[in-house]
Amino acid sequence: MRRGFVGLLCMVALAACAEDGGAQSASGFRAAAKMPPTCEDARAGDASVDPRLVPLLTRSGDIEAGRQHFRLLRLDLERTLSKFDVAAPERFRPALDPLFADAEIQRRLTCAFAHEGRGRATLDAWDAWIADADMRGIHGRIFGPPSLRGPTGAPPDAQRVALLRRVMRATGFVEMSTAAESTSRASNAIIETALGKSALGKPAPGKPATAAPPPGGVPPQKRTPNRRGPDGQATRPPPDPRQRAAEDWFAMQLDGIDDAALQRFLAFAESEPGRAFYRARQATYGAGMRDWLARLQTAANAQIAPQAAALGAGTSGDKLAEARRLLEAEAMPAQEYPQGLYDARTLLQNAERLEPKNPDVLVLKARIEMALRPHLAMAAPHDRGQIRDRVAPGGPDMASGYEQIDRDFAKAILLAPANAEAHLYLGRSKFLQRNDTVAAHMLREARRLQADPATLALFEGDLAYVGGDAAKAERLYRESLAAAEAAPSVRDLAARHLGNALRAQGRGGEYPAIAAQTLQAFPDLWPLRFDYADALLDGAGTAADAQAAIASVPETWQPPRRKVAMTRVQVQRAIEAAPAVRAEEAKRVHEISRDTQVTGQALCGARDAAIIETIIRANPNPGSEAYIADALLGCAVSERRPDAVAVALRYARDIDQPLSGLWGDTALCGAAARNDARTLTLLLQKKADTTRRCGGTMTPRERLAAQAAKGDADARKALAAFDAAAGK
């Protein structure tokens, strides 16, 4: 999450400084006219610091925000160190500890403010401003964690946009973000240099490494070419889409704060004391970090580089062990961004450099690439009961992207013909590519070579499931669950896929009891807990039952997934509520969700379709009903819920719009991809466009016809329903 957030801030910075060398951007940001001394220069004046300063910055949240900045900076450096050697963060702790000591951080966070707040009147103004809870709240919104939510009303008008730009300019938001990112990149570059390029990889031939800009500076910008119209007069360049993204992001952070409050905030921020405050904040993360980086450079040269040279790149065995640990951890990741997989990839690349013919290194490297592929290929989310990517007629070749993965597995088998893990995962790779014949052969070989029994049974069960033999799949999933030494991620998948097999046999009601039994023995299977809660809400479970199922999941584990689950629990509470209080429970759905996309997804699973419209109407933000309906429409099509589709269509903006819940498909294309005759009929009755192409290739009818031509019975039924509804 941190890297995604920093990347967004970096994008904001790049958008803001594009046209005139950074003096003043298109959005109006202006760098500080003068920079205060560095922290090292200010050390002599520490004794004269006003005793009110630290409590004041604590109340404003700047002390804690700064400590969090340094905590995350250290985590970044330790991640870089661990790519060199698993034990490196601990080994080099003495070099880093003095730079991250509490006293050092607090001095660094206050020195620029002490310089700018030398006058008593300035500090008095800061104190009065920070005492205002509303002003503290705005300041915290601007520099706090991202608050990325769906639209809660109409887009900001021109007056609001101008006001937001003034706030961005007055607070130096872009300059501070750029300075923090520059410090992060510069510090990592120092560590990488100390460790030696041979350990972390070299720049591509002919491409020099990119130098990080100095803290407080901005990345070098390309000069915008002169543009002249037909009359030879200079014209304004077209709007930069990154600038619009920056403004949209800033608008979302301050969503819900009225213009009057922002004007009051600006009265301070644009005053001399306010300018001094934000000048100091910018210096804290910019110029004030220069001496810190110099000290890091000294420590790296004196303490890290000599030990790194002596240690070399570590052993491939250490890297293999750590890469396996990261791979297993990312099988049930706490966050959506798979940072652990990228770290494991780097470890394995270094291990391969040491032992290019080690079959275990090759197998694990290929497994990591296979785990990364859904993220790199931007694979669409799976529908319920779907365990591998769907291939639409005319869509991409499923083998694309697996070529190097298969080559690594094949090379490992060539080097070690009895390597059961290589056979097992080459079979899985072929399964994911829909080459089920070769997959079955490789899994038979893996069984002969006595591969891990729990994983083997899971993969064989998946092969039986997609082949239509749900009974055999059930038996194999149960075999995987019963294995004594199953990895947590394997046990989790086996239990959830067993639910699919039971539903395919019309016995889905048995699944909640199996999930509960598994969780009683293995309570930390967080994905299974969410799946169990969904199963309860799909069946006869109450809101309290579902709440209890996910109560033990840490709040830091997949927060977006947790929010959807909690919102869906509240939808069920609204269903269960007495008529007299149902309206209040419906409003509570929006208070928990605070996101139109989440609300739409939660409504999609409501057992009682009658509650859906009640909750949409209870939305407190006029104009956002359409956004909720759009999210509901995409989800309802994927879940094959024509009753929910019917409600969504009453509020949706356009029946033929691309839907994010269907990965850019329209509702009609999505229903055709799922051979959903009932939803197709409903959409055609509502005059959905039958000529619009799905993914730029086939029309919905052509998509159905292509599937029917392959012998798909469901596609033939759906095609008949399509033709009947379309009047063909």
Side-chain angles (χ1 to χ4, degrees), residues 8 29 51 65 69 169 261 314 316 345 370 414 429 483 486 524 582 602:
L8 178 58
F29 292 122
H69 168 74
R169 181 170 59 249
S316 62
R345 171 199 261 179
M370 194 160 64
L414 187 64
S429 175
D524 295 343
R582 185 165 294 150

Side-chain angles (χ1 to χ4, degrees), residues 196-335:
K197 291 295 183 184
S198 62
L200 293 168
K202 298 179 180 179
K207 294 183 179 180
T210 301
V218 297
Q221 303 297 315
K222 293 182 179 179
R223 181 179 294 276
T224 302
N226 289 332
R227 295 179 174 86
R228 297 187 178 275
D231 57 357
Q233 297 298 312
T235 61
R236 291 183 61 84
D240 188 339
R242 296 171 301 175
Q243 177 64 35
R244 175 60 186 273
E247 293 172 0
D248 287 348
W249 187 89
F250 204 73
M252 198 67 72
Q253 287 294 96
L254 298 179
D255 184 46
I257 297 176
D258 61 36
D259 290 358
L262 290 181
Q263 291 284 7
R264 278 209 309 127
F265 178 85
L266 280 168
F268 168 78
E270 293 178 339
S271 69
E272 184 50 42
R275 286 196 293 270
F277 184 90
Y278 285 109
R279 220 167 27 235
R281 201 178 195 283
Q282 180 180 341
T284 298
Y285 297 98
M289 292 297 292
R290 288 173 184 162
D291 65 289
W292 185 89
L293 286 170
R295 292 177 60 195
L296 176 64
Q297 182 75 69
T298 300
N301 291 343
Q303 297 174 263
I304 295 177
Q307 290 190 60
L311 289 168
T315 67
S316 62
D318 288 342
K319 297 182 187 302
L320 272 170
E322 177 63 4
R324 284 190 186 278
R325 184 193 69 77
L326 289 169
L327 180 60
E328 174 58 29
E330 288 293 341
M332 296 192 297
Q335 302 293 336

